[in-house]
Amino acid sequence: MTPSTDLNIPLFERAKALIPGGVNSPVRAFKAVGGTPRFIKRAQGAYFWDANDQRFIDYIGSWGPMILGHGHPAVLDAVQKAALEGFSFGAPTEREVELAEEILGLVPSMEMIRLVSSGTEAGMSAIRLARGATGRSKFIKFEGCYHGHADSLLVKAGSGLATFGNATSAGVPPEVVQHTLVLEYNNVAQLEEAFALHGKELACVMIEPIAGNMNLVRASVPFMKRCRELCTEYGALLVLDEVMTGFRVALGSAQSVYAKAIPGFKPDITVLGKVIGGGMPLAAFGGPRAIMEHLAPLGAVYQAGTLSGNPVATACGLATLREIKKPGFFDALSARTRSLVDGLSAAAAAEGVPFSADCEGGMFGFFLLPELPQNYAQVLKTDNARFNTLFHGLLDRGVYIAPALYEAGFVSSAHTADDIDATVAAAREVFKTL
Ligand SMILES: *Cc1c(COP(=O)(O)O)cnc(C)c1O
């Protein structure tokens, strides 16, 4: 397509004049990979179409929520009915109770839940709750994990374990991040050292169990086990950020995957988002009654939201959860995702491209590295230029993966074996050029 016929270009120009960078969330701007972002007009099933009516196989699924693909009939029906009944009341509804029952029935570590509108809000509120419930200020997070953009979470490691973090964003005062300790993911020795130094002052450890914001890196079983043990020993809370993994990697979320390897494993607080809204703004955090009762109006930890538990969003989330609960859903989704990862790995091997990949449920990640990285520093060893060639090669062939190498990918139940085959064939062509 020549620039004069690419309709995304004038749209991007219009957007840039009005919206910083032309986007309402930075990664959409294609800054990492270069080129013009595609403006999406519509979507159906596993596909979406851009301003030129070019079709793409969608592997970002709105960054995770679209686990049923786009426009699933049962979800559309629920949303249309809910919209006719009213958009927002600012008063309780039965559907919020139904969604709470549905989620708590699937994730037994939670006895109570609070619904909010975004993962950022949920993560920020979970930290406040952990601090309020323990009466402590400090907390641990890990390099490469993303928990939304609350001030105290936009932090990179300081120098050494005695110094706390440095803000990664302008506008975040040093005082606000002075209680955030940033450690290396999957580093048991460092975690133990940090607890020995600060354990009694820690409100919580917050972690993405299967990190999806440094592509895909799993917390090792021994690491997760030590997180749990040390939190229990020192009276800190273990906060699992399952905004991405929740109802995406398994029906019981990532905590059910770890509970298979660590008997009795459960977090104190779970943070959810993405899939539970099915594409509408909806997120949540929950845990045992004794912790959740610290929240207003019962307790002293304040938290509120005008659109929290929105009636249209809850209808969308409920309809989505009811579909993924059906017998065999996750087996089929996992097998499809596995076939993509295996196909890509075989194609890379055939073309002699260093490649490693992993998946769980409907979430996958791959690296142009010979071995799967275990932490953020190892992820950074990926060659950006080669990734960008791969990204644009796939995009030109109608395959849309995340426009940044730090992002996981997502397969939906609408992706067919033919979609996977077409994707692998496209990748093999691009691998030849790497
Ligand atoms: C997406 C994400 C968030 C932030 O959610 P938003 O709805 O974008 O605010 C938080 N944590 C994790 C693990 C995420 O993947």
Side-chain angles (χ1 to χ4, degrees), residues 11-25 28 39:
L11 271 175
F12 194 37
E13 292 307 316
R14 256 171 79 199
K16 280 191 290 188
L18 304 167
I19 302 168
V23 291
N24 286 310
S25 196
R28 299 179 195 171
F39 281 68

Side-chain angles (χ1 to χ4, degrees), residues 194-410:
F195 264 93
L197 277 171
H198 308 288
K200 292 262 181 266
E201 301 159 84
L202 290 172
C204 66
V205 169
M206 190 173 203
I207 183 169
E208 279 186 79
I210 301 173
N213 290 285
M214 47 176 156
N215 206 314
L216 189 157
V217 181
R218 293 170 190 263
S220 73
V221 168
F223 183 67
M224 189 60 91
K225 188 160 175 276
R226 259 339 248 150
C227 285
R228 179 63 279 176
E229 288 167 352
L230 287 165
C231 282
T232 304
E233 187 182 333
Y234 285 86
L237 303 183
L238 180 61
V239 180
L240 276 204
D241 182 349
E242 296 229 45
V243 171
M244 186 178 289
T245 53
F247 305 105
R248 165 54 74 177
V249 299
L251 189 55
S253 303
Q255 51 198 271
S256 72
V257 176
Y258 283 89
K260 280 189 198 149
I262 310 167
F265 176 83
K266 54 182 180 184
D268 298 300
I269 299 177
T270 299
V271 186
L272 294 167
K274 298 194 168 109
V275 169
I276 64 164
M280 291 265 181
L282 203 156
F285 60 104
R289 191 171 302 277
I291 294 174
M292 294 301 285
E293 284 182 347
H294 284 275
L295 280 180
L298 296 178
V301 177
Y302 191 70
Q303 192 281 326
T306 301
L307 297 176
S308 292
N310 177 270
V312 185
T314 47
C316 187
L318 257 179
T320 301
L321 292 185
R322 285 175 179 158
E323 288 302 314
I324 69 173
K325 245 173 65 173
K326 291 185 174 165
F329 178 91
F330 268 95
D331 289 340
L333 181 66
S334 301
R336 184 89 351 125
T337 310
R338 170 56 61 191
S339 71
L340 173 68
V341 160
D342 288 349
L344 292 174
S345 301
E351 302 305 331
V353 173
F355 191 84
S356 54
D358 195 6
C359 63
E360 188 73 39
M363 177 174 167
F364 67 90
F366 62 78
F367 300 91
L368 297 173
L369 294 172
E371 298 200 4
L372 287 173
Q374 297 303 311
N375 58 46
Y376 188 60
Q378 292 175 4
V379 173
L380 287 182
K381 294 193 176 136
T382 306
D383 181 338
N384 269 296
R386 293 185 95 197
F387 175 82
N388 295 348
T389 306
L390 175 62
F391 170 80
H392 280 291
L394 289 174
L395 195 70
D396 289 345
R397 290 166 178 79
V399 175
Y400 195 111
I401 63 167
L405 67 87
Y406 305 104
E407 308 290 348
F410 304 96

Side-chain angles (χ1 to χ4, degrees), residues 73-87 280 312 315-316:
V75 179
L76 264 184
D77 186 52
V79 167
Q80 281 168 343
K81 284 198 176 115
L84 288 172
E85 290 166 0
F87 284 14
M280 291 265 181
V312 185
C316 187

